[in-house]
Amino acid sequence: MRDLGAGFGHLLKGQRWVARHGRSYGFGLVPGLITFVLYVGVLIALALWGDDFVAWATPFADGWSSPWLGLFRGFLTVVLFALALLLAVLTFTAVTLLVGQPFYDELSERVDRDVSPDGTAPESDLPLWRDLWISGRDSLRILVRAAVWGVLLFALGFIPVVGQTAIPVIGFFVTGFFLTEELAAVALQRRGVELRERLALLRSRRMLVWGFGTPLGLAFLVPLVAVFLMPGAVAGATLLARELLGEETRDGDHPADGAPDDGGPGDSAVSSGPAPTH
């Protein structure tokens, strides 16, 4: 239970960090807004023409009598839209991180420098195109895993009582796990931690991961909230990655009086705050 609170604490600390670095927060909104507009467009199209797609995909039901034809295709249309929403929640973070990879890498480095006792941050030795390729490849692998879980939970959802109570709760924890992996990958990839190692790290501290990712996944269900929480989520996931790796971290929540705000993605970070706490 202590790890659950610690995970949620990292989420809050990440939001506080970007609140103290307003210009970085503003830049961090851009990738999320772009992705949000694209997703909304797809969901609107699905809402308008989803029933036509279902009718096209089920020609065998054309001869069914009323009301069975309407009930059958109506049910499939609702299922299709629900799956699209689930897929949107699971993939929003990956797509946003891919769109904003250069900025989020810089944002994560700034957090590392700010909370590191020596004011340094690990840097990737790979060129940008290689980092983008690895990020996209790993995101696809995570998406496949998440899709398998999604199909399994959807099937289990038809079990009476359990399917309407326990299964949705499990689904939120699964979503939280994969959200955390995607966000922590920004900091862990810079450190050369491969996907298999990342997953092993996250599984070793599941309660910590759930404390961070599950409330974030619930918040992401609210339209536009994901856009505004993304910069802070990346910052918080960097702090979580440091804990997973056992790196010494000082409390950066309370900057020294008069410490200047950052000037955007290209400026140097200012390390401030009290002495190391652990």
Side-chain angles (χ1 to χ4, degrees):
M1 294 301 293
R2 184 176 181 179
D3 265 358
L4 276 176
F8 187 64
H10 287 317
L11 180 60
L12 295 181
K13 287 180 180 179
Q15 300 303 323
R16 287 198 293 266
W17 193 94
V18 295
R20 292 191 289 106
H21 298 76
R23 293 182 65 181
S24 286
Y25 177 67
F27 280 105
L29 292 178
V30 175
L33 287 171
I34 293 172
T35 308
F36 180 78
V37 170
L38 292 174
Y39 274 51
V40 167
V42 171
L43 290 174
I44 289 176
L46 194 59
L48 292 175
W49 295 295
D51 52 347
D52 293 333
F53 174 79
V54 168
W56 171 81
T58 56
F60 58 86
D62 286 343
W64 290 13
S65 60
S66 180
W68 304 115
L69 176 61
L71 290 174
F72 174 69
R73 287 180 170 169
F75 172 75
L76 289 183
T77 301
V78 171
V79 169
L80 178 65
F81 194 79
L83 286 175
L85 281 175
L86 175 62
L87 191 61
V89 172
L90 291 174
T91 62
F92 181 86
T93 301
V95 174
T96 302
L97 289 173
L98 194 59
V99 171
Q101 177 84 15
F103 170 81
Y104 290 134
D105 273 340
E106 176 65 20
L107 173 62
S108 179
E109 283 186 31
R110 294 168 75 83
V111 175
D112 270 324
R113 288 194 294 268
D114 194 44
V115 302
S116 174
D118 59 5
T120 62
E123 296 182 6
S124 174
D125 295 327
L126 300 175
L128 177 60
W129 70 267
R130 180 66 177 169
D131 277 332
L132 288 172
W133 164 255
I134 293 174
S135 178
R137 180 199 64 191
D138 290 349
S139 293
L140 183 60
R141 291 175 176 175
I142 290 298
L143 177 60
V144 171
R145 286 175 167 85
V148 170
W149 271 98
V151 171
L152 175 62
L153 291 174
F154 176 74
L156 293 176
F158 289 100
I159 300 176
V161 182
V162 174
Q164 292 75 49
T165 54
I167 298 304
V169 174
I170 294 173
F172 282 120
F173 279 100
V174 171
T175 299
F177 181 89
F178 286 120
L179 277 177
T180 304
E181 194 288 325
E182 289 285 356
L183 290 162
V186 177
L188 294 174
Q189 187 176 316
R190 274 193 295 110
R191 291 163 166 82
V193 182
E194 297 291 338
L195 176 60
R196 188 182 298 274
E197 299 173 82
R198 295 202 299 266
L199 290 173
L201 272 175
L202 295 172
R203 292 186 188 115
S204 70
R205 301 285 300 277
R206 283 187 175 91
M207 298 295 279
L208 181 72
V209 171
W210 288 335
F212 181 91
T214 303
L216 187 63
L218 288 168
F220 275 17
L221 292 175
V222 182
L224 272 180
V225 166
V227 175
F228 293 106
L229 292 185
M230 270 298 294
V234 172
T238 302
L239 300 175
L240 183 141
R242 295 181 66 91
E243 178 168 345
L244 287 172
L245 296 173
E247 297 178 358
E248 188 175 0
T249 300
R250 65 193 180 95
D251 189 357
D253 280 347
H254 307 289
D257 291 341
D261 184 21
D262 62 88
D267 296 344
S268 298
V270 178
S271 293
S272 57
T277 57
H278 61 279

